[in-house]
Amino acid sequence: MNKTHLRAILGAVLMTIGSGVAMADSRSVSSACATLEFMAKMLAVNAVLPADYDSQPQLASMHTELRELNRLACQPVLLTETTRFSSRYGNGRSVSADLYDSAWYFPNGQLFVARPGRDTTIYYPNGQVMAFRWARGGQTLYWPNGNPATFSFRTINEAWYYPDGHIITYLAGARDERWFYPFARLDGQIGQELISSHWGVDGEDFQAINYTNDGWMFMQRERIRDKLVLSDTELLDVPGVLLMLTRFYQMPDDARQFMPGDSSITGAPW
């Protein structure tokens, strides 16, 4: 075998190894960005449906922090030397020493994740933990206000709760189950207003929220069609589904870029 042929083979092997490493690094960034997207959905739900003790200015500030991290770490199509190693916020703080393999920070200096794509603790901009073991199922997931959202994330037969403690559903990730709005029944009886008794199933009824011209809310029966026909995997993205379903009483919000319940978390390249 001549030296030229040997160099060609060696070069091909090195390129293959380098490509594999780059692909693994890219998956780590994609995983972190999917996590950031999911966090934005959680924050959007908490901002529109706060518990009594929540600070709306703090929730709005956190929203800005997430948008900035998303813009600098996740929006660039290609991670150049500058975007990978040297991205900085307007206040001069570093986004990350290395987006592929180092910690990511919010503009206020709060840690987002110690290493992208790893089974580690995830933090909101206010320092609240979203999950202690993010890449594992069977872990508690928290709202930005600290209340538990579910006690076993990525578990199909598990209940989810609104930021104020109201029940969302007893069985997330299972079609043909009951989902609820976070307020009492409008007919005056005991319990919460039902979204649907058979949520996610084509042709089933659900209660849509509407408003009169003078601002009074009323419920209107609609049929589940198209994007509301969800798989078990999609239903695990509970905050995304809620945003898609209700637009939360038709209030304007920047979370539309994170809609609908697109299963980005359950399908993320961990």
Side-chain angles (χ1 to χ4, degrees):
M1 182 180 295
N2 61 43
K3 292 181 179 180
T4 302
H5 190 50
L6 181 61
R7 281 197 297 268
I9 294 175
L10 181 59
V13 170
L14 289 175
M15 286 181 63
T16 301
I17 294 173
S19 175
V21 172
M23 189 177 297
D25 290 338
S26 178
R27 283 197 294 265
S28 294
V29 171
S30 295
S31 180
C33 290
T35 300
L36 188 69
E37 175 183 328
F38 184 81
M39 180 179 284
K41 295 174 185 178
M42 294 284 287
L43 178 61
V45 174
N46 196 174
V48 178
L49 298 173
D52 291 340
Y53 58 82
D54 283 346
S55 167
Q56 285 287 2
Q58 182 193 60
L59 292 172
S61 175
M62 290 169 62
H63 174 69
T64 301
E65 306 268 341
L66 263 68
R67 289 187 65 181
E68 276 300 284
L69 179 55
N70 180 59
R71 182 177 68 85
L72 293 176
C74 299
Q75 291 305 308
V77 176
L78 297 175
L79 287 180
T80 63
E81 292 293 304
T82 300
T83 55
R84 176 180 171 181
F85 298 107
S86 307
S87 292
R88 291 188 176 275
Y89 296 107
N91 61 9
R93 292 184 184 273
S94 173
V95 177
S96 175
D98 180 356
L99 285 173
Y100 281 154
D101 204 39
S102 296
W104 291 23
Y105 296 91
F106 291 110
N108 64 1
Q110 168 61 48
L111 178 69
F112 166 57
V113 61
R115 291 186 70 185
R118 304 302 199 278
D119 184 18
T120 186
T121 302
I122 302 292
Y123 297 91
Y124 288 103
N126 66 352
Q128 167 63 45
V129 170
M130 188 175 85
F132 286 101
R133 298 292 304 277
W134 174 237
R136 293 175 59 87
Q139 301 294 312
T140 301
L141 185 70
Y142 298 93
W143 294 106
N145 67 12
N147 282 352
T150 180
F151 293 103
S152 189
F153 181 50
R154 297 193 190 91
T155 301
I156 290 178
N157 299 322
E158 185 67 23
W160 270 70
Y161 306 89
Y162 285 104
D164 66 354
H166 280 88
I167 190 73
I168 298 175
T169 178
Y170 292 103
L171 296 172
R175 293 201 302 168
D176 202 23
E177 297 296 335
R178 292 180 299 165
W179 283 49
F180 302 88
Y181 285 110
F183 49 83
R185 289 176 54 166
L186 298 182
D187 60 10
Q189 297 186 36
I190 301 298
Q192 286 176 235
E193 184 66 43
L194 201 65
I195 293 175
S196 173
S197 295
H198 305 284
W199 184 237
V201 178
D202 188 15
E204 290 294 333
D205 290 339
F206 75 98
Q207 293 274 25
I209 296 176
N210 283 285
Y211 291 89
T212 63
N213 291 333
D214 55 4
W216 289 98
M217 183 182 76
F218 67 95
M219 310 300 290
Q220 183 172 326
R221 305 283 304 176
E222 301 286 355
R223 290 283 184 179
I224 295 176
R225 290 284 188 272
D226 300 324
K227 287 188 176 181
L228 293 180
V229 180
L230 300 167
S231 69
D232 294 346
T233 300
E234 288 170 322
L235 286 169
L236 282 173
D237 185 4
V238 174
V241 173
L242 290 174
L243 290 171
M244 175 183 67
L245 165 68
T246 66
R247 301 291 174 95
F248 279 115
Y249 322 142
Q250 302 169 9
M251 291 179 62
D253 62 79
D254 290 329
R256 291 197 180 107
Q257 64 180 310
F258 301 116
M259 292 164 50
D262 54 15
S263 72
S264 61
I265 289 300
T266 53
W270 307 112

mmCIF file of all heavy atoms in Angstrom, residues 147-165:
data_model
loop_
_atom_site.group_PDB
_atom_site.id
_atom_site.type_symbol
_atom_site.label_atom_id
_atom_site.label_comp_id
_atom_site.label_asym_id
_atom_site.label_seq_id
_atom_site.Cartn_x
_atom_site.Cartn_y
_atom_site.Cartn_z
ATOM 1 N N ASN A 147 -44.356 25.149 42.416
ATOM 2 C CA ASN A 147 -45.355 24.104 42.618
ATOM 3 C C ASN A 147 -45.086 22.924 41.676
ATOM 4 O O ASN A 147 -44.677 23.124 40.528
ATOM 5 C CB ASN A 147 -46.764 24.645 42.350
ATOM 6 C CG ASN A 147 -47.285 25.477 43.495
ATOM 7 O OD1 ASN A 147 -46.676 25.546 44.559
ATOM 8 N ND2 ASN A 147 -48.413 26.137 43.286
ATOM 9 N N PRO A 148 -45.329 21.695 42.124
ATOM 10 C CA PRO A 148 -45.144 20.538 41.245
ATOM 11 C C PRO A 148 -46.150 20.549 40.090
ATOM 12 O O PRO A 148 -47.339 20.794 40.290
ATOM 13 C CB PRO A 148 -45.389 19.342 42.170
ATOM 14 C CG PRO A 148 -45.217 19.874 43.556
ATOM 15 C CD PRO A 148 -45.679 21.297 43.499
ATOM 16 N N ALA A 149 -45.656 20.307 38.884
ATOM 17 C CA ALA A 149 -46.532 20.164 37.724
ATOM 18 C C ALA A 149 -46.965 18.712 37.579
ATOM 19 O O ALA A 149 -48.107 18.422 37.228
ATOM 20 C CB ALA A 149 -45.820 20.632 36.460
ATOM 21 N N THR A 150 -46.040 17.804 37.825
ATOM 22 C CA THR A 150 -46.316 16.376 37.823
ATOM 23 C C THR A 150 -45.226 15.691 38.638
ATOM 24 O O THR A 150 -44.101 16.175 38.698
ATOM 25 C CB THR A 150 -46.355 15.795 36.395
ATOM 26 O OG1 THR A 150 -46.630 14.392 36.454
ATOM 27 C CG2 THR A 150 -45.055 16.014 35.661
ATOM 28 N N PHE A 151 -45.574 14.578 39.245
ATOM 29 C CA PHE A 151 -44.605 13.874 40.079
ATOM 30 C C PHE A 151 -43.843 12.791 39.313
ATOM 31 O O PHE A 151 -42.998 12.110 39.884
ATOM 32 C CB PHE A 151 -45.310 13.272 41.298
ATOM 33 C CG PHE A 151 -45.829 14.323 42.235
ATOM 34 C CD1 PHE A 151 -47.182 14.639 42.259
ATOM 35 C CD2 PHE A 151 -44.979 15.016 43.072
ATOM 36 C CE1 PHE A 151 -47.669 15.620 43.110
ATOM 37 C CE2 PHE A 151 -45.447 16.002 43.939
ATOM 38 C CZ PHE A 151 -46.798 16.302 43.948
ATOM 39 N N SER A 152 -44.143 12.646 38.029
ATOM 40 C CA SER A 152 -43.424 11.655 37.228
ATOM 41 C C SER A 152 -43.474 12.066 35.763
ATOM 42 O O SER A 152 -44.335 11.614 34.997
ATOM 43 C CB SER A 152 -44.033 10.258 37.415
ATOM 44 O OG SER A 152 -43.221 9.272 36.818
ATOM 45 N N PHE A 153 -42.546 12.924 35.373
ATOM 46 C CA PHE A 153 -42.503 13.439 34.013
ATOM 47 C C PHE A 153 -42.176 12.328 33.027
ATOM 48 O O PHE A 153 -41.404 11.427 33.316
ATOM 49 C CB PHE A 153 -41.461 14.556 33.927
ATOM 50 C CG PHE A 153 -41.356 15.184 32.566
ATOM 51 C CD1 PHE A 153 -42.494 15.620 31.912
ATOM 52 C CD2 PHE A 153 -40.135 15.340 31.945
ATOM 53 C CE1 PHE A 153 -42.422 16.205 30.659
ATOM 54 C CE2 PHE A 153 -40.037 15.923 30.689
ATOM 55 C CZ PHE A 153 -41.179 16.353 30.054
ATOM 56 N N ARG A 154 -42.765 12.411 31.840
ATOM 57 C CA ARG A 154 -42.665 11.419 30.771
ATOM 58 C C ARG A 154 -43.305 10.092 31.139
ATOM 59 O O ARG A 154 -42.977 9.052 30.568
ATOM 60 C CB ARG A 154 -41.204 11.185 30.337
ATOM 61 C CG ARG A 154 -40.530 12.409 29.737
ATOM 62 C CD ARG A 154 -39.224 12.027 29.046
ATOM 63 N NE ARG A 154 -38.464 13.203 28.679
ATOM 64 C CZ ARG A 154 -37.551 13.772 29.447
ATOM 65 N NH1 ARG A 154 -37.287 13.259 30.639
ATOM 66 N NH2 ARG A 154 -36.905 14.827 29.048
ATOM 67 N N THR A 155 -44.189 10.114 32.120
ATOM 68 C CA THR A 155 -44.931 8.911 32.489
ATOM 69 C C THR A 155 -46.361 9.065 31.982
ATOM 70 O O THR A 155 -47.025 10.059 32.287
ATOM 71 C CB THR A 155 -44.935 8.707 34.016
ATOM 72 O OG1 THR A 155 -43.584 8.608 34.469
ATOM 73 C CG2 THR A 155 -45.696 7.457 34.386
ATOM 74 N N ILE A 156 -46.819 8.094 31.218
ATOM 75 C CA ILE A 156 -48.127 8.223 30.573
ATOM 76 C C ILE A 156 -49.258 8.253 31.593
ATOM 77 O O ILE A 156 -50.139 9.110 31.532
ATOM 78 C CB ILE A 156 -48.338 7.070 29.568
ATOM 79 C CG1 ILE A 156 -47.400 7.249 28.374
ATOM 80 C CG2 ILE A 156 -49.780 7.002 29.101
ATOM 81 C CD1 ILE A 156 -47.485 6.145 27.348
ATOM 82 N N ASN A 157 -49.247 7.341 32.538
ATOM 83 C CA ASN A 157 -50.360 7.245 33.494
ATOM 84 C C ASN A 157 -50.081 8.062 34.747
ATOM 85 O O ASN A 157 -50.011 7.535 35.856
ATOM 86 C CB ASN A 157 -50.604 5.775 33.855
ATOM 87 C CG ASN A 157 -50.971 4.949 32.637
ATOM 88 O OD1 ASN A 157 -51.684 5.414 31.750
ATOM 89 N ND2 ASN A 157 -50.475 3.728 32.577
ATOM 90 N N GLU A 158 -49.917 9.374 34.561
ATOM 91 C CA GLU A 158 -49.564 10.241 35.676
ATOM 92 C C GLU A 158 -50.360 11.536 35.605
ATOM 93 O O GLU A 158 -50.627 12.072 34.527
ATOM 94 C CB GLU A 158 -48.068 10.560 35.653
ATOM 95 C CG GLU A 158 -47.565 11.352 36.839
ATOM 96 C CD GLU A 158 -47.621 10.588 38.149
ATOM 97 O OE1 GLU A 158 -47.622 9.339 38.104
ATOM 98 O OE2 GLU A 158 -47.677 11.226 39.216
ATOM 99 N N ALA A 159 -50.742 12.046 36.768
ATOM 100 C CA ALA A 159 -51.515 13.289 36.827
ATOM 101 C C ALA A 159 -50.620 14.514 36.626
ATOM 102 O O ALA A 159 -49.435 14.491 36.949
ATOM 103 C CB ALA A 159 -52.223 13.392 38.173
ATOM 104 N N TRP A 160 -51.219 15.586 36.088
ATOM 105 C CA TRP A 160 -50.576 16.896 35.963
ATOM 106 C C TRP A 160 -51.447 17.929 36.672
ATOM 107 O O TRP A 160 -52.676 17.799 36.705
ATOM 108 C CB TRP A 160 -50.422 17.283 34.502
ATOM 109 C CG TRP A 160 -49.154 16.843 33.853
ATOM 110 C CD1 TRP A 160 -48.794 15.569 33.543
ATOM 111 C CD2 TRP A 160 -48.091 17.690 33.410
ATOM 112 N NE1 TRP A 160 -47.561 15.565 32.930
ATOM 113 C CE2 TRP A 160 -47.104 16.846 32.836
ATOM 114 C CE3 TRP A 160 -47.870 19.066 33.430
ATOM 115 C CZ2 TRP A 160 -45.923 17.353 32.293
ATOM 116 C CZ3 TRP A 160 -46.689 19.564 32.888
ATOM 117 C CH2 TRP A 160 -45.730 18.712 32.336
ATOM 118 N N TYR A 161 -50.803 18.983 37.190
ATOM 119 C CA TYR A 161 -51.497 20.022 37.948
ATOM 120 C C TYR A 161 -51.147 21.401 37.404
ATOM 121 O O TYR A 161 -50.022 21.636 36.971
ATOM 122 C CB TYR A 161 -51.108 19.942 39.430
ATOM 123 C CG TYR A 161 -51.321 18.575 40.028
ATOM 124 C CD1 TYR A 161 -50.318 17.611 39.988
ATOM 125 C CD2 TYR A 161 -52.539 18.232 40.602
ATOM 126 C CE1 TYR A 161 -50.511 16.347 40.510
ATOM 127 C CE2 TYR A 161 -52.746 16.963 41.130
ATOM 128 C CZ TYR A 161 -51.720 16.025 41.073
ATOM 129 O OH TYR A 161 -51.927 14.763 41.585
ATOM 130 N N TYR A 162 -52.129 22.313 37.453
ATOM 131 C CA TYR A 162 -51.886 23.705 37.072
ATOM 132 C C TYR A 162 -50.979 24.377 38.106
ATOM 133 O O TYR A 162 -50.782 23.853 39.209
ATOM 134 C CB TYR A 162 -53.210 24.462 36.983
ATOM 135 C CG TYR A 162 -54.022 24.141 35.750
ATOM 136 C CD1 TYR A 162 -55.139 23.315 35.810
ATOM 137 C CD2 TYR A 162 -53.678 24.683 34.514
ATOM 138 C CE1 TYR A 162 -55.896 23.025 34.678
ATOM 139 C CE2 TYR A 162 -54.428 24.402 33.376
ATOM 140 C CZ TYR A 162 -55.525 23.586 33.460
ATOM 141 O OH TYR A 162 -56.272 23.301 32.337
ATOM 142 N N PRO A 163 -50.414 25.552 37.782
ATOM 143 C CA PRO A 163 -49.519 26.238 38.731
ATOM 144 C C PRO A 163 -50.145 26.543 40.093
ATOM 145 O O PRO A 163 -49.428 26.680 41.078
ATOM 146 C CB PRO A 163 -49.162 27.541 37.999
ATOM 147 C CG PRO A 163 -49.274 27.193 36.555
ATOM 148 C CD PRO A 163 -50.434 26.235 36.472
ATOM 149 N N ASP A 164 -51.479 26.643 40.149
ATOM 150 C CA ASP A 164 -52.129 26.919 41.439
ATOM 151 C C ASP A 164 -52.602 25.650 42.140
ATOM 152 O O ASP A 164 -53.213 25.715 43.199
ATOM 153 C CB ASP A 164 -53.308 27.874 41.251
ATOM 154 C CG ASP A 164 -54.441 27.257 40.437
ATOM 155 O OD1 ASP A 164 -54.270 26.131 39.911
ATOM 156 O OD2 ASP A 164 -55.511 27.892 40.328
ATOM 157 N N GLY A 165 -52.318 24.474 41.549
ATOM 158 C CA GLY A 165 -52.673 23.212 42.185
ATOM 159 C C GLY A 165 -53.897 22.534 41.631
ATOM 160 O O GLY A 165 -54.155 21.364 41.957
#
